[in-house]
Amino acid sequence: MAQYNVGYCYFNNEELEAAGESFLKFLNTRSHRDSYRADAFNRRGDVHYAMREFEDALMCYDNAISINTAERYYAQYQRAMTLGVQNKRKEKIQHLQRIVQSNRGDYVDAATYELGRTYIAAERYADGVRTLEEFIAAYPSSSYHAQALSDLGLAYMNLGERDKALEYYDRVVKSSPQSPQSKSALQGIRDIYMAQGNADGYFAYAERVGL
């Protein structure tokens, strides 16, 4: 347990290589398949991920999943994210879908948002809209909420539905006026008004929301 706690001291201090070595020493001396062991695999996976050793990261997350404690939920989510970094988009989508469909653990909301975002990146805009609209309905207090609204605006723009895009961009501006997402949404709103040849409409909108 001393090695485990030393690992966290290094990890929290962003001394990742030393953290990885300490967690490995812990894993080599404690074979009991419990939450501590699963968590140590997760932290070693995070170290490998940060060092861009993605295959090693996947192996660690798989080991954490196999122990079948609550730590598997983080490992499942990180496994999907690692596949995405490796440009394995199809596999990433499949793993995120499994998390969402199981509806278990602390990462269902993050996985739902990431699934919608990944659909949009793959130009599967209708799938992205469906997933993100389900997300904002189910998780109105999520930290991803404003970004999901902005992503919905982008998806609807690509679907040619400017009125729906305007609706979601407007929700971003009104719900999170000082956020980076609001600045992006305002640019989208401006583009919509300008595409309609309605500069006066845009300036009226900006004045109405206090900008």
Side-chain angles (χ1 to χ4, degrees), residues 8 27 35 53 69 79 134 138 145 178 209:
Y8 261 108
L27 290 166
S35 290
E53 298 165 351
T69 59
R79 192 182 207 293
E134 291 173 357
H145 191 260
Q178 303 303 319
V209 297

Side-chain angles (χ1 to χ4, degrees), residues 186-187 189-190 193-194 198-207:
L186 276 169
Q187 182 63 48
I189 291 169
R190 179 185 179 279
Y193 275 107
M194 294 305 173
N198 187 8
D200 289 342
Y202 172 71
F203 288 120
Y205 172 85
E207 183 177 4

Side-chain angles (χ1 to χ4, degrees), residues 116-129:
R117 178 177 170 271
T118 305
Y119 281 141
I120 291 172
E123 299 183 2
R124 294 172 58 177
Y125 300 115
D127 289 328
V129 162

Side-chain angles (χ1 to χ4, degrees), residues 12-203:
N12 292 334
N13 203 38
E14 299 183 6
E15 297 179 57
L16 297 181
E17 188 171 348
E21 291 174 359
S22 293
F23 285 122
L24 180 59
K25 290 176 182 177
F26 167 80
L27 290 166
N28 287 338
T29 55
R30 181 187 174 96
S31 59
H32 189 56
R33 293 172 63 82
D34 59 5
S35 290
Y36 287 111
R37 186 169 178 82
D39 185 65
F41 274 124
N42 278 338
R43 296 294 78 79
R44 269 193 64 80
D46 292 344
V47 168
H48 285 306
Y49 183 95
M51 298 176 73
R52 303 190 66 79
E53 298 165 351
F54 299 124
E55 290 302 324
D56 290 331
L58 288 172
M59 189 179 304
C60 288
Y61 295 137
D62 284 342
N63 282 325
I65 292 167
S66 71
I67 295 174
N68 205 32
T69 59
E71 286 70 26
R72 72 186 183 276
Y73 300 122
Y74 174 83
Q76 289 166 350
Y77 179 72
Q78 279 299 111
R79 192 182 207 293
M81 298 300 288
T82 305
L83 290 168
V85 174
Q86 292 180 300
N87 294 317
K88 298 177 181 178
R89 185 177 288 162
K90 182 179 178 180
E91 292 90 339
K92 176 186 178 182
I93 288 173
Q94 290 171 345
H95 280 74
L96 291 172
Q97 287 173 332
R98 288 174 196 155
I99 297 171
V100 173
Q101 290 164 4
S102 72
N103 197 30
R104 298 181 64 184
D106 297 331
Y107 292 86
V108 177
D109 61 334
T112 306
Y113 168 71
E114 187 64 28
L115 179 59
R117 178 177 170 271
T118 305
Y119 281 141
I120 291 172
E123 299 183 2
R124 294 172 58 177
Y125 300 115
D127 289 328
V129 162
R130 173 182 51 79
T131 302
L132 290 178
E133 287 187 332
E134 291 173 357
F135 169 80
I136 62 172
Y139 305 101
S141 300
S142 171
S143 60
Y144 300 108
H145 191 260
Q147 185 59 57
L149 293 174
S150 182
D151 291 339
L152 278 164
L154 174 63
Y156 272 117
M157 279 290 286
N158 282 281
L159 289 170
E161 298 186 40
R162 290 179 177 173
D163 289 343
K164 291 292 291 184
L166 190 60
E167 173 190 334
Y168 279 108
Y169 283 143
D170 181 54
R171 288 176 64 178
V172 177
V173 173
K174 289 179 177 176
S175 64
S176 305
Q178 303 303 319
S179 68
Q181 292 84 5
S182 180
K183 294 180 181 179
S184 176
L186 276 169
Q187 182 63 48
I189 291 169
R190 179 185 179 279
D191 291 344
I192 291 170
Y193 275 107
M194 294 305 173
Q196 296 170 341
N198 187 8
D200 289 342
Y202 172 71
F203 288 120

